Amino acid sequence: MKTSDLFQESYSALTVNKARTALTMLGIIIGIGSVIAMVAIGQGAKDAIQANIASIGSNLISVSPGAQRGVGTFVSSGLGSSQTLTQEDVDALRSGLTQISALDGELSRRYQVTAKGTNTNTQVIGTDSNYPAVHNLNMDSGSFITDQQVANMSKVAVIGPTVWEDLFGTSTPAVGQTIRISGQQFKVVGVTQSKGGSGFANQDDMIFIPISVAQHYLAGPNADGKLYVSAISVSAQNPGAMDAVQQQVTNILLQRHNIGNPASADFTVQNQADIVSAASSVTNTFTMLLASIAGISLLVGGIGIMNMMLTTVTERTREIGLRKSIGATRHDISLQFLTEAVLLTFLGGGIGILFGWLLSLLMTHFTGTQTAISAYSVMLAFGVSAGIGLLFGYYPARRASRLNPIEALRFE
Amino acid sequence: MIQCEHIFKSYFAGDVETKVLKDVTFSIADGEFVAIMGPSGSGKSTMMHILGALDTPTQGKYFLDGHDVGKLSDDELAGIRRKKIGFVFQAFNLLTRATVVRNVALPLVYAEITKNQREQLAEKALRETGLDESRYYHLSNQLSGGQMQRVAIARALVNDPALLLADEPTGNLDTQTGEIVLSTFQSLNAQGRTIVLITHEHDVALHAKRIIHIRDGKIISDEINQRQRMANPRPE
Ligand SMILES: Nc1ncnc2c1ncn2[C@@H]1O[C@H](COP(=O)(O)OP(=O)(O)OP(=O)(O)O)[C@@H](O)[C@H]1O
Ligand SMILES: [Mg+2]
């Protein structure tokens, strides 16, 4: 049998049984498509959460006043918490720690902020020039707070993109405008780039001012008459140094606060890795859930393929009997059915991959959920349905090609 | 060319044995035109399937052109069917949902003949059976019984076989159309082709040169048809 005739015969067989072909391909398409889409959504969610956590800063160690609280609360420190961390602690840590790349003190609280008739209620963070380095923050326009401005207690502010939008609308340049925080005038000197975070890690809805200004004009000293901070963020040089830095921070602060027993510390030191592991156990569960739903649809698709292939075995066995009786060899028969099965599964598989990809795109487009197609899920889904298609399309045909023509023609 | 020696054929349904052919021995020389007659269920089709190398006897030997068919491999048998034999099935066995021409040309696909040539040969074979040309590109399951029969005959003729085996080829045809098909067979025979045909009708059998009667799986008579011998003398 010539190759061109082989394709011709396979093609006509597929087009003659249009319903069978379409339904079998549908099984493959749905099986593959749903696995790809589901895994893409799960993977996307995982990536998004991890990117979110990474956007807080890299190799971050966070110190907050007050005793140990649960994992994940460190970003929201500053609301009504104790005032045991002082500016002196910040300076001592900055000179005492060795394996760090950057460190900043923060004093944050929510204030009513107004500008030319518009107003918003947002987080105002007093900090120093190190904040962008610690928290991976970039500037969209203008510049961040400088050491000079901290020393001079300049009333300047750097605003996040959400604040810019709320107060001025993004069509008006923000730099050079004046805003009022708690009744005091501040000049906007910069706008930060959006980090796209949401929920607990939203860093777009914030205003930054020099920490000295926050301490003197907005907060005032604590009960001991000292200037305090609501958080200290430390960025370790590398992931391997985090444990050592965390230990150093604890030792320095215990000594400065004259506390002998670490269990009764009046501050909390937390490590970004704690947050990451808590979050990734959640996303892993989520991905597993989606993957098992996808696995079920792959199974259902696979059974559909099997069913379609097997129900036509009778009809196809007669056809095989006829072809053999007019001179087809076993090889001719096997090759034709293999070609059919390959065409069917690869065509269906190709469409299924496109379908899954489209589904992920639509998901991203309409819900804003990030999706990430993984090569692993594509290969797994394709492998399973192509395997089923080949096995059930080819194996019965191969068996039928071994019957003698009369037995095959009489097959029930 | 055809030589059957003590052929037995049984079908088994579980442990139950149905004996269909019981010790059949005969031979057919090249260029003969033989009719096989017998009542329904006597084993005619079964015999024909064995002659066509489509099925194997349970016991006994069948030689085709000197080859012991029982000893040939599956693919060697396929080669014989492809090159030497044209078979008209009693049940037609057409490829449904394929056109008439595609059905007729199908044996040529396995003979590796080009598509253009296949169609020409298929149309030539169809003309010999007298099928209306407007039906050539209809689907085979849209035909009447007689039309399907003619497609089945054309398919058997298309590879120009040395041995033509036809199982009730005129069963669904009116006398006139049957006559066209039978005279095609006669002219093929005159060109030297060997023809074996099964029939119920005595009139049809009279077109052959030799008539074999089968009953209950046994040959009960095997005689020269004197009429054809007179009309169409051929040296043996
Ligand atoms: N596959 C089979 N399994 C069991 N029995 C069979 C099988 N094929 C044929 N038979 C039996 O063999 C006998 C002969 O069948 P066959 O088809 O050869 O008859 P026939 O002479 O061609 O009859 P008809 O003139 O009706 O076509 C019948 O009794 C039939 O029941
Ligand atoms: Mg019969």
Side-chain angles (χ1 to χ4, degrees), chain A residues 1-2 5 8-9 12-13 16-18 315 319 322-333 336 401-407 409-410, chain B residues 9 11 49 53-56 74-75 78-79 81-82 87 89 92-98 102-103 106-107 109-110 112-115 118 155:
Chain A
M1 196 173 184
K2 292 182 181 172
D5 289 333
Q8 184 77 47
E9 288 297 314
S12 346
V16 154
N17 295 306
K18 282 200 187 67
E315 187 186 331
E319 182 190 330
L322 167 67
R323 286 179 185 273
K324 282 197 77 180
S325 72
I326 57 174
T329 59
R330 277 183 196 175
H331 184 68
D332 290 332
I333 302 287
Q336 182 193 329
S401 78
R402 286 163 191 273
L403 294 174
N404 84 32
I406 295 303
E407 278 175 62
L409 279 166
R410 282 180 182 274
Chain B
K9 177 75 185 178
Y11 291 107
H49 293 152
L54 296 169
D55 209 348
T56 44
D74 205 63
D75 285 350
R81 293 193 289 265
R82 184 168 63 236
F87 204 103
F89 287 97
F92 316 142
N93 291 329
L94 300 180
L95 210 55
T96 54
R97 290 177 284 181
R102 215 184 128 220
N103 261 288
L106 200 57
V109 169
Y110 297 106
E112 305 208 332
I113 288 172
T114 62
K115 194 160 189 276
R118 288 205 298 262
R155 187 180 59 195

Side-chain angles (χ1 to χ4, degrees), chain B residues 41 43-46 90 167-168 198 200:
Chain B
K44 305 184 296 294
S45 295
T46 305
Q90 192 171 12
D167 196 347
E168 301 267 15
I198 289 176
H200 278 117

